[in-house]
Structure formats: C-alpha cells, structure tokens
Amino acid sequence: MNDIKQILLREIDTLNREEKRDNRPRFSLTFLKNHPGLWISMYLCYILTVALIFTTEFLGWPAFWGATLFVLLMSVLMLMDVNPRYRFEDIDTLDLRVCYYGEWYYIRTLSDAAVKEILASPTVPDKVKKGIEKLLSLKGEVDFYDVYRLTWGQQRASTV
C-alpha cells in the first residue's frame, strides 16, 4: 500500500510541476477572453452608476471615487488566476475545498508508466492489480480515484 501511495504522490508532484500548480496568483487574461460579456456589463453598470452619482444631489465625489476603486479592484481580481495544487489528501474528500479544487482525481488519469509500475510491484495486492487490469480493459485508463478506491476504499467502508 505504501508503494501505491508513493507512486501516486510522485504522479501528483509531476502534475503540479508540469502545470505550474503552486497556489500562487498570476496575471492572466483568461477570464476576459472567456467572459467578455460579463466584463462589458461590469463597465456598463459602472457608467450607469457614475451617471446616477452625478445626477443625484446627495451623492458626489466620495461615491464616485468609491465606485471607481471598487470597479478597478474587481477588474484586477478578475485578471488574477490561481492554479490550485493537487494533494493526495484531497482524494475522496468532499468538503468546501472541492469548490476551489474541483474533483480533479476523477478526471486526471495516471500515466502509463505509473500504472505499469503499480502492476509490476510485488508488494501491491493481487486484488488491486486485478481491479486495475479490469478498469484498463473497460475504460482504457485509470484515474487517481480508481486506484485510491481499489487500495483504500474498502478499508474506509469497513471502518465506518
């Protein structure tokens, strides 16, 4: 079981390194490219707000500067992109982190080298190897959750 965990940890480290997943914010135009209508509507609402500010007697320059700072702050935040780091501990964990990280372990497949390494390891139980071979014949691939479920899933179910 420890061999499987080490292989999965190595695969996760490789994915994190190759995809620059480090939880750091980066400047990116992805949001602007994917949602130009939202961007335009935000600035349209800003223009309408400014028009309202200067046509109303009790609003004035402080409201204008407040609205301007808010729109600029939101613009900067929308241009920031964060690649969350994959972690072994997040596999099969359903909590608020799923909203941020997503259920990546269902869609990310193990490399062929990792699958071969698991199948060739003498310490991996035959039940796990047969499960992986069955998944390969049915799906043609094995994802992180498949291996996790085959290895530790029954143990968790029996303790609950």
Side-chain angles (χ1 to χ4, degrees):
M1 303 291 195
N2 196 32
D3 283 351
I4 295 174
K5 184 174 182 178
Q6 293 306 314
I7 293 167
L8 292 179
L9 286 171
R10 197 171 337 125
E11 283 289 301
I12 290 170
D13 286 341
T14 302
L15 285 174
N16 287 333
R17 188 174 48 260
E18 287 175 355
E19 297 176 7
K20 296 180 182 170
R21 296 187 162 279
D22 55 7
N23 292 340
R24 293 184 184 156
R26 289 185 172 78
F27 181 78
S28 171
L29 296 175
T30 306
F31 185 85
L32 183 58
K33 290 176 186 174
N34 292 340
H35 306 287
L38 186 59
W39 197 262
I40 290 169
S41 65
M42 181 178 74
Y43 280 98
L44 204 71
C45 289
Y46 169 71
I47 291 169
L48 293 173
T49 303
V50 169
L52 179 68
I53 287 171
F54 288 115
T55 58
T56 307
E57 290 181 18
F58 55 88
L59 296 173
W61 287 104
F64 168 75
W65 290 116
T68 301
L69 287 174
F70 177 75
V71 167
L72 290 176
L73 176 68
M74 295 310 297
S75 297
V76 168
L77 290 177
M78 285 188 232
L79 291 175
M80 301 306 285
D81 194 17
V82 177
N83 276 342
R85 192 174 220 0
Y86 294 151
R87 298 176 341 144
F88 178 80
E89 296 79 26
D90 293 334
I91 298 175
D92 198 32
T93 302
L94 297 177
D95 59 11
L96 289 177
R97 287 178 290 179
V98 172
C99 298
Y100 180 65
Y101 293 107
E103 293 179 325
W104 62 270
Y105 42 85
Y106 284 115
I107 56 173
R108 300 308 304 245
T109 58
L110 286 173
S111 67
D112 292 336
V115 172
K116 288 176 185 173
E117 191 176 348
I118 291 171
L119 292 174
S121 175
T123 60
V124 174
D126 288 335
K127 182 175 79 170
V128 174
K129 289 180 181 180
K130 288 178 185 174
I132 289 174
E133 289 168 351
K134 183 177 179 182
L135 286 168
L136 284 172
S137 67
L138 293 174
K139 292 190 338 183
E141 61 186 18
V142 179
D143 57 47
F144 283 88
Y145 183 73
D146 293 333
V147 175
Y148 182 86
R149 192 76 179 148
L150 286 169
T151 308
W152 295 281
Q154 283 69 26
Q155 291 175 358
R156 273 185 68 189
S158 65
T159 59
V160 175

